[in-house]
Amino acid sequence: MFTRIRDWFDPTYLRDVGTRPDYRYTLANERTFLAWLRTALALVAGGLAAAQFLPELRPAYLRELIAIVLLALGALVAIRAVDHWARVQKSMRCDEDLPPSRFPAIMALAVGVGALALIGVVLFLGAPGR
């Protein structure tokens, strides 16, 4: 576990292991990492927006729950992005198969279920005074 975390912060280690891959693959891995970071940032921004701009919902804690879930997902995506980047980089340098990942499917399901839940909130609970 801690060796994987070391890979996140020690670029010389990842440069010294294995052989240098074609730079285009390294750049593609970096673009994928940045795309996941944009997703994480969007989730964090959505969480902050929910906390600040959503009207009070019934039950009273629902707005805060939505914000916390979005913020936690943003943090999880950011951490997962750097871990996946390091694992893929190491695999490319060692000429191994790329590590499998269920994370994109899990995120897609989480976003889909979350969107359906929010539709239910809007339709059935709504804002007080409506």
Side-chain angles (χ1 to χ4, degrees):
M1 174 66 176
F2 290 110
T3 57
R4 284 175 54 180
I5 292 173
R6 178 197 61 202
D7 294 350
W8 302 354
F9 298 105
D10 188 4
T12 57
Y13 170 75
L14 281 178
R15 233 183 316 198
D16 292 341
V17 68
T19 59
R20 183 177 61 193
D22 186 334
Y23 70 90
R24 292 173 292 183
Y25 300 124
T26 299
L27 293 174
N29 188 30
E30 186 175 288
R31 283 191 302 274
T32 302
F33 168 70
L34 293 173
W36 279 105
L37 279 185
R38 282 191 303 271
T39 301
L41 184 60
L43 287 165
V44 169
L48 291 174
Q52 292 297 311
F53 301 118
L54 275 181
E56 277 297 324
L57 300 171
R58 292 177 298 213
Y61 58 84
L62 189 57
R63 178 179 67 177
E64 288 77 13
L65 180 64
I66 292 168
I68 289 169
V69 167
L70 289 171
L71 291 167
L73 276 174
L76 178 67
V77 169
I79 291 168
R80 178 64 178 121
V82 71
D83 181 59
H84 188 72
W85 169 82
R87 289 174 47 221
V88 167
Q89 196 64 29
K90 188 174 181 181
S91 294
M92 287 190 306
R93 293 192 66 86
C94 293
D95 199 27
E96 298 171 349
D97 288 341
L98 296 180
S101 178
R102 292 185 187 99
F103 194 71
I106 291 169
M107 277 300 299
L109 287 173
V111 169
V113 168
L116 291 174
L118 289 174
I119 289 171
V121 166
V122 169
L123 291 177
F124 300 110
L125 297 178
R130 272 186 39 183

